[in-house]
Amino acid sequence: MEKMNINPAVKAALLSGLLFPGAGQLFLKRYYRGAAIIAFSLTSILFLIFYMVIVGQKVLSSSPLKGTAFNLKAFFFLMFDIIKSLNFTYILLIFLVIFLVWIISIIDAYHFGKKEFLNNHP
C-alpha cells in the first residue's frame, strides 16, 4: 500500500483550519507569525469570556436569589436576564474578528506552504 504524501500547503491549511488558527504557521516553522495569530485568537476569546462573566456578575449581584434555596424556575429566569443583558453587537463583532483571523490564518498557511513546496521542488 502506497503512502499518500500531502503537500505542505494543504497540511498547513488543514492544521490552521481544523486545529487552531496559527497551527499551520507553526508547522511551517514560521514561529513568530504563528505565535502572533494564536495570541490574537486567544486574546479575542478571552475578551468574549471576560465580557460574559462581567455581565453575569452584574445580573447576579442584583439577583433576588441571594440566601434562598435553589429554585430551578428562578435559575432559568436569571439565565434569561443574563442573556437579555448581553450586547449581541459586541459579541458578534468579537466572533467576526475571530472568524476573520481564522480565515486569514488558513490562507496565509496555504500561501507560505505552497511557496515552500515550490522552493524545495523545482
Side-chain angles (χ1 to χ4, degrees):
M1 185 172 189
E2 186 177 322
K3 185 178 177 182
M4 193 169 115
N5 285 333
I6 298 178
N7 143 356
V10 173
K11 190 180 275 189
L14 285 173
L15 285 170
S16 280
L18 299 176
L19 190 59
F20 200 79
Q25 284 77 5
L26 294 178
F27 169 74
L28 295 170
K29 297 183 174 107
R30 299 200 175 267
Y31 299 117
Y32 292 121
R33 187 178 293 234
I37 291 172
I38 290 170
F40 191 81
S41 299
L42 288 176
T43 302
S44 299
I45 292 168
L46 289 176
F47 270 119
L48 184 63
I49 292 169
F50 182 72
Y51 172 71
M52 292 176 150
V53 167
I54 294 298
V55 170
Q57 284 179 335
K58 286 181 183 177
V59 172
L60 285 174
S61 67
S62 64
S63 167
L65 295 177
K66 290 182 181 176
T68 62
F70 181 76
N71 178 349
L72 189 59
K73 182 179 177 183
F75 174 76
F76 282 117
F77 280 118
L78 183 63
M79 291 299 109
F80 287 128
D81 286 343
I82 290 173
I83 291 170
K84 287 190 295 187
S85 299
L86 293 172
N87 181 349
F88 283 103
T89 304
Y90 185 72
I91 292 172
L92 287 175
L93 182 65
I94 293 174
F95 272 121
L96 180 64
V97 167
I98 293 169
F99 179 74
L100 289 175
V101 168
W102 208 315
I103 296 300
I104 290 168
S105 172
I106 294 168
I107 293 168
D108 181 67
Y110 182 78
H111 171 73
F112 281 109
K114 191 171 185 176
K115 191 186 255 186
E116 179 181 296
F117 182 74
L118 292 175
N119 287 341
N120 293 335
H121 296 89

